[in-house]
Every structure is written in C-alpha cells, then in structure tokens.
C-alpha cells in the first residue's frame, strides 16, 4: 500500500520557498545541536521518534494528485488538513477502537492504576454513583502509590469539567473530587470551565438545570501517560453501562498525548480552580469568565489556547521534516496513519473544526460515501447545505425516540425526543423534495434498554470498500457544537489495512442496529408531534 507524500514536500507545498527554506535550516540546526546539547524543548521530543516499533514495511511513494481516489491517493486527498492544524504521524497498529461502554470504563480504570506521570481527564461532568466512585478510587490508589514509591512529584492528576454541570445538586462532580484535592493538593488540579456567555441577569434568572444550555465545556479526552482515549462519552455510569458511544484508544502516541495534555491545561488556565474547601478562584492575572469583561476573557482564552495549537503545528512540521529526511535515506516508513486534532470554541473565536469539517464534506465527490452519526441529529444550516448540495452518498444515523437520552424525562426536557422527530422529518422531507432519496439516506438506531450517543463519521473514497478517514470526538454537527460549546475531535487518516478494517467493523456494528427512515416511519403513532413542540423546536435546535 502506498505511503504518504513526504512531509518535506508537504512543507514546500504549503509555504513559499523562502519560508520552507527557513524551516529546513531550522530543522538542520536543531539536528546538529542535538549532538552538542540536550536542552532544546523541541529536541526533548527526539526520543519519541526512536521508540521501538514493529519492523516497518517498505512502501512506495504515491503519485496521485489531490483529487486522486483509491489507496494511492489517500494521503494527497487529505493533505490540506496539515495546512490548518497539527499533523501527528503514528503507526496505525497503535490505535484500537473500543466498542462498548464497559470496554471504555475498564480501559480507563486499568490505565489510571498504572499511570506514572500524568492522568488528564476532560469531560462535561463526573457522575456521583458507585461506578464513578470506583474511578475516583483508582485515582486515589495511583496517587497514594506514587507517594509511597517516593515519586510524589511525578504523578499529576488534572481534571477539566464544566462549571455549571459539575456544580449541579448538593452531591456533584465537585464533592466527588474534593477528598483528592484535600489529600493530594500539590498533585491534583480540578478546573471548572465557565462560559463567558452566562453572566449578569441571565446567570441569575436561568435555573440550574437549564443554565448549561447557554454553553459548556464539552471536550471528552482521557489521557494516561502517553496513551489517550478520544470519545464522546462523559464520566457517568450510563456511559459505562448502556449508553452507546464511540471510543478510540491511541496507545504510546506521546506527541498526540502531549498535545491534548497541553490543550486541557490551556483551557484549565482560563477556568475556575476548585479549592479544597469547595470554593473556586481564578489563576492570578486571568480574566474572570462572568465577572470580568466578556471580550477581554475571550481574547485571553483564545490566545492561550491557540498558542498550544500553533506551537504543536510548528513543532510537528520540524519533527516530520527531520523524520522524512531519514526515511528517504533508509527507504522505509514507520507511520501509516495521521492524526489531526480539531478544536471548536466559537464563544472564544476559535472555529477550526467547523472549517475543516465543512471542507471535508464539501470535497466529498461523487462515488464517495460518508456515514455520519449523531445522537442528536440537528445539522447546522451550513452543514445541511453541503450534504444536500454535494455529490457524495450519505447514510446518516441518529437516535430513534426511545434511545434518545431525553426519552422519558420530566417537564420540558421530555419533549426533546419529539422535537428531534420533527427535525428528522423536516430533513427527510427536504431530501425528498430535492429528489435525493437515492443519495441521502436517514437511519434510526434501535436498542432496547439502551440510549444512543455516538457521533462522528466514516469516509469511504471512490473504489474503496473500507473507510480511510474518521472523525471522532465530542461534536454533534449541530448548532450547539458549532456555536455554544467547547469541542474537540480528531480526524484520523489511515492507510493501515487493519485499522481501516476496525473502522469498517465499528461502522457496520452501529448501523446493524438501525432501520432506514421512510414515509411510513413518520406515520407511526409514536411519531406524532404536538403543535406546541413544533413551535418550540427552533428554540430546542439552538439550545439542546
């Protein structure tokens, strides 16, 4: 199978010759400096490039153009992503797809127990049940062992949650973590992100149960030393038992882990810090999210977060340049898979994920197939226009009413499944009006006693029977994901046949439990939507 085009060529394709030359000279100097000293922050990453790996397979270089299809054009087809975000090249053999909530839960517990340097977890909230307590106990056990082994300064635990969701009720995420803060203060950090849009009179008037509709920290990243799980799942018991999501484990991918550790730290720096007495405070010099100036907070937060993205992108370009030089001399390639982190934080003026996702969908040409899934199907107008206006085939999977997370909820929230029925019917009718039923298909996920929360997509290029790209992470492709919340996902582009096979199996596993939507679907008695629900659906689309 063809290997990707060299990163040296990629750098020269992205930048002008003069700038590309600067990169080359900087990289050469860094390489020479390594023999003289070991203090460079960039060169400290050099051991990562020399980790023991299985013997690489010799591969030829692709010759396809940017519009090429099939395996020879995979790398060039998606090379434009490296122009916008960091690009991490990893062996596909280091990536494993987890398929069940229990696998996800057990993988986290096992890796927390064996962590030696860092545990970094970002989620909307931490639940308060027995399973969540066992997760906290694992952290306590790991921290205690580090002290007993005389490594008290080594293991650090950093938790990033949303302030509003994590503070709901008398027993909440904060009270679950307070014992760790009180016992392991120097090793423990709990950051609570508060959206700058919930302030003033609005903050006083919106009830606790609904204040998170204004905007939340929605990133789901779970990191243990040099391994990381990217998912859409929260740290709550039903995400560990009977709520279907997606979970991708990247083992021994230190550069990817470093990036997400830095990203969580950056968001944490502009968040409220939980104290051992359950009070909160901002780091010195940081603008308060709801007491300070709105524009000033967003500017500081955007600068801090984009510094992480920009630094990682530059560092990866330098390291990949050096790696490609060595590969050209040896004629081998160790990385067959690329990881592109995509961040979306519109309240802070960051919209990288939106830009990349729109282009990805726009470039999906005839004979390509996109399988797209969201637990809450609510495409933005921009995404919907792309889906209905391009030539690719789409199979869109969403939750049937009975597996919607709000099914059976009390009060206004109980109407949310019906609102999503109305949204799905509007979309289906639009597809039919445009005569695109043969190209765009809508599916509903069914599973008794389960709920559905999976999100992302699988991308099949023309002539391929397995996906070569996936998006996985926290975004739902809806209004909230794009405009209100902090989101992160990764795009994985791979030429590794085994990983492509895993992606195909994952996609087929989810779609096997679905049925295709037709006219008769909306004629069923349980699909009746009351008039008042239809009237409030535009509001629900923007806030849920």
């Amino acid at each position: 199978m063809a290997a990707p085009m060299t990163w040296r060529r990629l750098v020269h394709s992205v930048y002008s010759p003069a700038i590309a030359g600067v990169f080359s000279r900087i990289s050469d100097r860094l390489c020479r400096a390594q023999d003289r000293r070991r203090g460079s922050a960039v060169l400290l990453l050099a051991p990562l490039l020399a980790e023991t790996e299985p013997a690489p397979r010799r591969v030829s270089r692709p010759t396809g153009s940017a519009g090429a299809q099939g395996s020879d054009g995979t790398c060039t087809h998606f090379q434009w992503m490296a122009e916008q975000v960091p690009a991490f090249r990893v062996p596909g053999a280091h990536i494993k797809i987890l398929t069940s909530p229990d696998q996800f839960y057990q993988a986290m517990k096992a890796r927390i127990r064996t962590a030696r340097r860092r545990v970094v977890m970002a989620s909307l909230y931490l639940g308060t049940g027995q399973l969540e307590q066992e997760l906290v106990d694992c952290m306590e056990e790991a921290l205690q062992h580090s002290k007993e082994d005389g490594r008290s300064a080594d293991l650090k635990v950093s938790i990033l949650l949303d302030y509003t969701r994590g503070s709901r009720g008398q027993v909440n995420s904060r009270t679950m973590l307070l014992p760790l803060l009180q016992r392991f203060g120097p090793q423990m950090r709990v950051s609570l992100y508060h959206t700058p849009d919930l302030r003033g009179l609005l903050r006083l008037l919106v009830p606790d149960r609904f204040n998170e509709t204004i905007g939340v920290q929605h990133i789901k990243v779970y990191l243990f030393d040099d391994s990381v799980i990217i998912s859409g799942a929260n740290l709550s018991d039903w995400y560990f038992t009977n709520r279907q999501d997606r979970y991708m484990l990247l083992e021994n991918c230190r550069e990817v882990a470093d990036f997400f550790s830095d990203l969580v730290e950056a968001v944490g720096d502009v968040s409220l810090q939980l104290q051992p007495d359950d009070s909160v405070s901002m780091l010195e010099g940081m603008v308060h999210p709801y007491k300070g100036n709105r524009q000033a907070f967003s500017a500081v937060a955007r600068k801090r977060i984009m510094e992480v993205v920009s630094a990682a992108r530059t560092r990866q370009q330098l390291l990949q340049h050096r790696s490609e030089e060595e590969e050209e001399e040896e004629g081998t390639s160790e990385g067959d898979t690329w990881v592109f982190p995509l961040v979306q934080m519109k309240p802070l003026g960051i919209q990288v994920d939106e830009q990349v996702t729109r282009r990805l969908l726009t470039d999906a040409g005839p004979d390509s197939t996109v399988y797209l899934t969201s637990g809450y199907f609510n495409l933005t107008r921009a995404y919907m226009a792309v889906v209905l206006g391009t030539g690719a085939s789409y199979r869109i999977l969403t939750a049937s009413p009975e597996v919607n997370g709000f099914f059976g909820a009390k009060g206004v929230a109980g109407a949310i499944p019906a609102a999503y029925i109305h949204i799905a019917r509007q979309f289906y009718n639009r597809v039919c009006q445009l005569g695109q039923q043969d190209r765009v298909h809508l599916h509903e996920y069914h599973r008794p006693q389960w709920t559905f929360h999976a999100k992302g997509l699988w991308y099949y290029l023309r002539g391929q029977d397995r996906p070569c790209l996936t998006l996985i992470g926290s975004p739902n492709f809806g209004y909230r994901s794009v405009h209100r919340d902090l989101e992160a996902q990764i795009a994985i582009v791979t030429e590794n046949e085994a990983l492509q096979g895993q992606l195909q199996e994952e996609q087929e596993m989810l779609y096997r439990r679905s049925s295709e939507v037709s006219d008769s679907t909306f004629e069923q008695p349980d699909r009746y939507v009351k008039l008042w629900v239809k009237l409030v659906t535009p509001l629900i689309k923007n806030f849920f």
Side-chain angles (χ1 to χ4, degrees), residues 371-392:
Y371 287 80
L372 185 150
T373 181
S374 174
Y376 302 107
F377 178 65
N378 176 22
L379 294 181
T380 65
R381 290 182 180 180
Y383 288 159
M384 187 175 297
V386 173
V387 169
L388 297 178
T390 56

Side-chain angles (χ1 to χ4, degrees), residues 491-511:
I492 291 185
V493 178
T494 185
E495 293 177 343
N496 182 287
E497 294 183 2
L499 180 54
Q500 289 180 351
Q502 285 191 70
L503 291 172
Q504 182 184 18
E505 290 173 6
E506 179 196 35
Q507 176 258 302
E508 291 179 347
M509 176 196 73
L510 294 175
Y511 279 73

Side-chain angles (χ1 to χ4, degrees), residues 372 394-403 424 428 440-447 452 507-522 524 526-527:
L372 185 150
Y394 280 87
R395 292 202 172 262
I396 300 170
L397 177 62
T398 187
S400 60
E402 67 273 12
V403 300
Y428 177 79
V440 181
H441 304 262
L442 188 61
H443 298 252
E444 288 186 341
Y445 185 87
H446 304 273
R447 195 172 185 180
F452 184 70
Q507 176 258 302
E508 291 179 347
M509 176 196 73
L510 294 175
Y511 279 73
R512 271 197 301 268
R513 293 186 178 273
S514 74
S515 62
E516 185 168 352
V517 170
S518 65
D519 291 331
S520 62
T521 302
F522 300 106
Q524 299 172 15
D526 63 347
R527 301 310 171 96

Side-chain angles (χ1 to χ4, degrees), residues 300-539:
V300 170
R302 179 172 60 252
K303 181 176 183 294
R304 178 71 181 88
I305 293 164
M306 288 308 296
E307 283 174 351
V308 172
V309 177
S310 299
R313 181 167 173 254
T314 300
R315 182 170 61 248
Q316 287 308 113
Q317 288 169 336
L318 294 174
L319 291 173
Q320 293 293 357
H321 170 69
R322 177 190 174 189
S323 177
E324 287 295 333
E325 290 245 324
E326 295 174 352
E327 288 178 11
E328 287 183 352
E329 293 176 1
E330 299 174 3
T332 59
S333 173
E334 295 185 357
D336 53 15
T337 300
W338 296 261
V339 179
F340 302 93
L342 310 176
V343 179
Q344 182 73 13
M345 304 176 178
K346 201 86 169 262
L348 309 180
I350 300 171
Q351 52 194 83
V352 176
D353 176 67
E354 177 188 9
Q355 294 167 348
V356 171
T357 301
R358 285 183 65 176
R359 177 166 176 183
L360 183 65
L361 298 179
T362 300
D363 287 355
D367 299 324
S368 295
T369 302
V370 176
Y371 287 80
L372 185 150
T373 181
S374 174
Y376 302 107
F377 178 65
N378 176 22
L379 294 181
T380 65
R381 290 182 180 180
Y383 288 159
M384 187 175 297
V386 173
V387 169
L388 297 178
T390 56
S393 295
Y394 280 87
R395 292 202 172 262
I396 300 170
L397 177 62
T398 187
S400 60
E402 67 273 12
V403 300
N404 185 294
F406 290 95
F407 185 74
K410 297 179 180 179
V412 177
I416 292 176
Y420 279 102
I421 292 175
H422 186 52
I423 293 169
R425 183 165 194 168
Q426 289 178 318
F427 177 79
Y428 177 79
N429 289 343
R430 183 61 177 158
V431 170
C432 294
Q433 289 170 4
L434 296 173
Q436 298 191 17
Q437 303 94 311
D438 293 336
R439 188 180 67 82
V440 181
H441 304 262
L442 188 61
H443 298 252
E444 288 186 341
Y445 185 87
H446 304 273
R447 195 172 185 180
Q449 307 303 315
W450 280 63
T451 57
F452 184 70
H453 197 247
K455 57 202 71 172
L457 64 77
W458 302 261
Y459 192 117
Y460 291 73
L461 283 173
R462 183 180 66 202
Q464 294 186 346
D465 57 3
R466 291 171 301 196
C468 60
L469 177 146
T470 191
L471 295 183
I472 181 171
S474 64
N476 273 302
F477 306 104
Y479 185 90
R480 282 202 60 162
S481 290
V482 172
H483 296 280
R484 294 190 179 278
D485 300 338
L486 303 194
E487 307 277 11
Q489 65 178 338
I490 55 175
I492 291 185
V493 178
T494 185
E495 293 177 343
N496 182 287
E497 294 183 2
L499 180 54
Q500 289 180 351
Q502 285 191 70
L503 291 172
Q504 182 184 18
E505 290 173 6
E506 179 196 35
Q507 176 258 302
E508 291 179 347
M509 176 196 73
L510 294 175
Y511 279 73
R512 271 197 301 268
R513 293 186 178 273
S514 74
S515 62
E516 185 168 352
V517 170
S518 65
D519 291 331
S520 62
T521 302
F522 300 106
E523 296 173 1
Q524 299 172 15
D526 63 347
R527 301 310 171 96
Y528 173 75
V529 180
K530 296 178 181 179
L531 177 60
W532 74 268
V533 175
K534 293 180 180 179
L535 294 176
V536 301
T537 292
L539 187 66

Side-chain angles (χ1 to χ4, degrees), residues 22-186:
V22 171
F23 276 128
S24 298
R25 289 193 293 274
I26 291 175
S27 180
D28 292 340
R29 289 183 181 181
L30 288 174
C31 293
R32 290 195 298 270
Q34 185 181 24
D35 295 329
R36 297 193 298 271
R37 61 183 180 84
R38 303 175 66 88
S40 167
V42 174
L43 290 179
L44 287 176
L45 296 175
L48 308 182
L49 303 177
E51 290 180 350
T52 303
E53 306 290 353
R57 188 173 52 168
R58 183 169 184 134
V59 290
S60 59
R61 299 295 175 182
T63 58
S65 65
Q69 307 290 315
S71 60
D72 287 345
T74 299
C75 56
T76 53
H77 193 90
F78 302 108
Q79 72 177 54
W80 55 267
M81 290 188 195
E83 303 171 16
Q84 302 183 43
V85 299
F88 300 93
R89 190 174 178 188
V90 303
H94 287 197
I95 300 178
K96 179 182 179 181
I97 296 175
L98 309 179
T99 58
S100 72
D102 184 63
Q103 275 189 316
F104 168 59
Y105 181 59
Q106 299 300 335
M108 286 195 296
K109 288 175 63 177
R111 282 158 182 79
I112 290 172
R113 288 193 177 105
T114 58
R116 293 293 178 265
R117 292 184 296 107
R118 61 186 175 187
V119 172
V120 180
M121 308 183 85
S123 181
L124 175 63
Y125 68 104
L126 170 68
T128 59
Q130 181 58 38
L131 295 180
E132 297 91 324
Q133 184 59 55
E134 290 180 17
L135 210 59
V136 174
D137 292 344
C138 288
M139 297 182 212
E140 181 180 20
E141 179 183 329
L143 288 165
Q144 181 60 35
H145 284 169
S146 76
K147 294 186 83 171
E148 293 174 353
D149 293 345
R151 297 180 288 105
S152 59
D154 290 344
L155 180 62
K156 305 290 184 184
V157 176
S158 178
I159 311 292
L160 172 65
L161 305 172
D162 181 70
Y163 177 90
T164 55
R165 186 61 180 270
S167 303
R168 183 196 293 178
Q170 291 186 339
V171 179
N172 52 43
S173 304
R174 293 162 63 164
T175 60
M176 291 286 289
L177 295 168
L178 279 177
L180 297 184
L181 268 178
Q182 294 162 354
R183 185 177 176 188
F184 304 100

